[in-house]
Amino acid sequence: MSVEKINTLVVGAGQAGVAMSEHLSLMGVPHVVLERNRIAERWRSERWDSLVANGPAWHDRFPSLKFNGISPDAFAPKERMADYFEEYAAMLKAPVRTGVEVLKVERHVGRPGFKVTTSQGVIEASNVVAATGPFQRPAVPNIVSEQVKVQQLHSSAYKNPGQLAEGAVLVVGAGASGSQIAEELQKAGKTVYLSVGEHYRPPRAYRGRDYCWWLGALGLWDEVRITPKKKHVAFAVSGYDGGKTVDFRRLAHQGITLVGLTKACHNGVMEFEPGLAANVAEGDRAYFDVLRDADAYIEQNGLPFPPEPEAWELLPDPDCLTHPLLSLDLAQAGITTILWATGFKFDFSWLQVNAFDEKGEPFHKRGICAEGGIYFLGLPNLVNRASSFIYGVWHDAKYIADHIVLQNEYMAYEKS
Ligand SMILES: Cc1cc2nc3c(=O)[nH]c(=O)nc-3n(C[C@H](O)[C@H](O)[C@H](O)COP(=O)(O)OP(=O)(O)OC[C@H]3O[C@@H](n4cnc5c(N)ncnc54)[C@H](O)[C@@H]3O)c2cc1C
């Protein structure tokens, strides 16, 4: 039986896989994109119902297609995001095969290329692009044992407040997901505790420009060297409620109780780190840095942007910030749900090639692996800050497609 052969096989049809397909097509590289579910599946089934894009529609898109039927300054609802990538793939006539899972990729022995075992048979590929996402598997810290009688769920399984048991909720993690979900739950009438660790909370907008614009103007999307500290802190920005700055003091004044980083749970009693005020102060410092850099940019370029003095004003410190709880008895507080908004980890168990470092992390430069023919796309900081976002992945895909074309040319060379 003959085995299907393809030059380049892309694994995953989220935004990264679709962008990769566009550039491979433009450069004439025969390829196929395999997706185990549907195009942009994560936006459909692994996000909560009310989620909207974190960036405005003029920004969170690919260059070749604008959003229809939505204001450029609005934040597209998550289903609209998924539809956008489906429309995009249709526009490209992208060779996407849905419902096909890649189970294993192995290097051929004694000849170039890879054997790709899928749920629908084997394909041989010269190149494999892993476009399976920056956020693959829920990461839940091992803090609360199953003996503790609370509902525990990760943000990727959260849909809406109606899904939660009656009672109060502890949301752990205050990045984009945790801060939005906590506010939604509080507005739905729940008593909410929000565990806040280190975070980065830029202004949603300043002096008439959205933060995405400022990231571009100030060159921050292109930031290549993100210090290890910054790399791991939660990025608290959202388009929730029309787009507002994530402000932990505001959330506290609305009725959410802020607590520090969640440390442990003993006999149903949660323990929190004492550094809540320091975490919030550090978030404020970074927030004011953006305002300062923006002001300097406006002045340097003589731009007519209106001043916004109110952006410099902080709300008064709430009690939970000045006198933070260091422990909380779940039963006494009536907490019936712990919602872990604690991020994600990788799962490349299917990629059985020499493309990982000693810690098991993808080992590459700008997505190109030392294991020739293997590429990563869409990972956080793959090239720069933009790499895991819609805005950035399209450009990274172009670079990888270019590299694939060059390698194909080497392989095709015949000495005259
Ligand atoms: C809550 C949340 C909100 C976000 N909001 C924004 C935003 O507003 N703007 C923005 O720019 N970014 C946002 N992001 C970040 C990023 O844009 C998304 O995570 C996006 O889904 C990443 O796209 P991707 O194509 O790299 O990966 P994914 O969307 O994760 O796509 C990977 C695809 O690979 C498939 N797959 C995985 N393994 C296999 C396999 N073995 N075989 C076949 N298929 C496989 C999956 O089914 C999936 O469809 C957000 C992230 C989160 C978590």
Side-chain angles (χ1 to χ4, degrees):
M1 205 177 73
S2 74
V3 172
E4 181 181 357
K5 293 185 172 59
I6 192 79
N7 181 265
T8 299
L9 187 145
V10 181
V11 189
Q15 63 208 30
V18 172
M20 196 67 238
S21 182
E22 177 167 13
H23 293 295
L24 291 171
S25 291
L26 287 170
M27 294 183 198
V29 178
H31 67 281
V32 64
V33 184
L34 302 186
E35 164 58 52
R36 64 185 171 192
N37 292 313
R38 295 169 290 180
I39 291 173
E41 179 66 35
R42 301 227 205 251
W43 286 100
R44 297 225 187 268
S45 56
E46 296 183 33
R47 308 279 189 259
W48 61 95
D49 299 346
S50 68
L51 177 70
V52 299
N54 288 336
W58 66 264
H59 183 270
D60 274 16
R61 66 175 177 86
F62 288 164
S64 320
L65 182 66
K66 290 184 178 161
F67 273 90
N68 276 324
I70 168 169
S71 155
D73 292 319
F75 300 89
K78 62 147 193 134
E79 289 296 327
R80 184 71 189 84
M81 294 303 301
D83 290 346
Y84 175 87
F85 290 114
E86 282 203 347
E87 282 164 29
Y88 204 93
M91 178 185 84
L92 301 175
K93 297 191 175 56
V96 178
R97 293 182 203 165
T98 54
V100 186
E101 181 167 12
V102 170
L103 304 172
K104 198 196 287 186
V105 173
E106 304 158 281
R107 179 169 272 294
H108 286 140
V109 179
R111 62 190 176 100
F114 302 90
K115 177 184 174 188
V116 181
T117 306
T118 81
S119 53
Q120 293 185 11
V122 169
I123 301 177
E124 291 187 358
S126 305
N127 305 294
V128 174
V129 181
T132 51
F135 306 123
Q136 298 173 6
R137 282 243 167 127
V140 176
N142 190 13
I143 291 180
V144 181
S145 81
E146 283 177 10
Q147 271 82 52
V148 181
K149 293 274 169 278
V150 284
Q151 175 189 23
Q152 297 192 53
L153 81 162
H154 184 265
S155 57
S156 59
Y158 169 74
K159 298 293 168 215
N160 55 56
Q163 181 192 8
L164 268 53
E166 286 286 312
V169 54
L170 169 65
V171 178
V172 182
S177 300
S179 55
Q180 287 176 69
I181 292 171
E183 188 165 4
E184 172 167 277
L185 292 170
Q186 192 267 329
K187 283 189 174 165
K190 291 251 172 216
T191 298
V192 179
Y193 296 82
L194 176 61
S195 170
V196 181
E198 284 185 76
H199 58 269
Y200 178 66
R201 58 155 204 114
R204 173 71 265 175
Y206 183 55
R207 298 184 68 175
R209 289 287 188 276
D210 186 81
Y211 180 59
C212 288
W213 189 90
W214 282 116
L215 276 175
L218 298 173
L220 298 174
W221 280 124
D222 306 321
E223 214 173 47
V224 179
R225 283 171 60 84
I226 296 181
T227 61
K229 193 177 174 212
K230 270 193 178 171
K231 193 171 160 186
H232 297 294
V233 304
F235 193 14
V237 65
S238 90
Y240 180 75
D241 213 7
K244 291 186 303 200
T245 299
V246 175
D247 179 347
F248 294 107
R249 287 181 185 77
R250 179 177 57 76
L251 295 181
H253 288 295
Q254 276 171 220
I256 292 175
T257 304
L258 308 177
V259 293
L261 193 76
T262 299
K263 187 167 65 170
C265 178
H266 293 118
N267 302 319
V269 178
M270 301 299 294
E271 292 174 15
F272 308 108
E273 298 278 0
L276 173 64
N279 290 340
V280 170
E282 180 60 19
D284 296 341
R285 192 196 57 73
Y287 166 90
F288 287 125
D289 278 353
V290 176
L291 300 191
R292 232 170 260 119
D293 290 348
D295 281 342
Y297 181 90
I298 289 168
E299 193 181 333
Q300 191 178 24
N301 292 287
L303 298 174
F305 296 180
E308 194 181 332
E310 58 283 10
W312 289 86
E313 290 162 17
L314 291 180
L315 292 170
D317 282 353
D319 276 356
C320 59
L321 193 57
T322 47
H323 302 92
L325 291 174
L326 296 181
S327 65
L328 185 65
D329 186 310
L330 292 169
Q332 275 177 19
I335 292 175
T336 51
T337 304
I338 299 179
L339 198 146
W340 299 98
T342 37
F344 297 81
K345 55 189 174 188
F346 294 146
D347 177 6
F348 285 114
S349 51
W350 52 272
L351 189 52
Q352 296 176 8
V353 297
N354 187 19
F356 302 92
D357 65 14
E358 61 284 355
K359 289 188 196 144
E361 296 286 314
F363 186 64
H364 65 89
K365 193 165 185 188
R366 299 191 67 153
I368 299 165
C369 293
E371 174 79 270
I374 296 289
Y375 299 86
F376 292 105
L377 180 62
L379 303 185
N381 301 309
L382 185 98
V383 174
N384 56 30
R385 183 196 286 262
S387 289
S388 56
F389 299 102
I390 296 161
Y391 162 81
V393 74
W394 191 89
H395 300 278
D396 295 356
K398 194 174 184 182
Y399 181 82
I400 289 175
D402 227 4
H403 190 267
I404 288 173
V405 169
L406 283 175
Q407 290 303 310
N408 282 346
E409 283 174 7
Y410 281 119
M411 288 301 131
Y413 171 77
E414 283 182 23
K415 196 163 167 45
S416 51

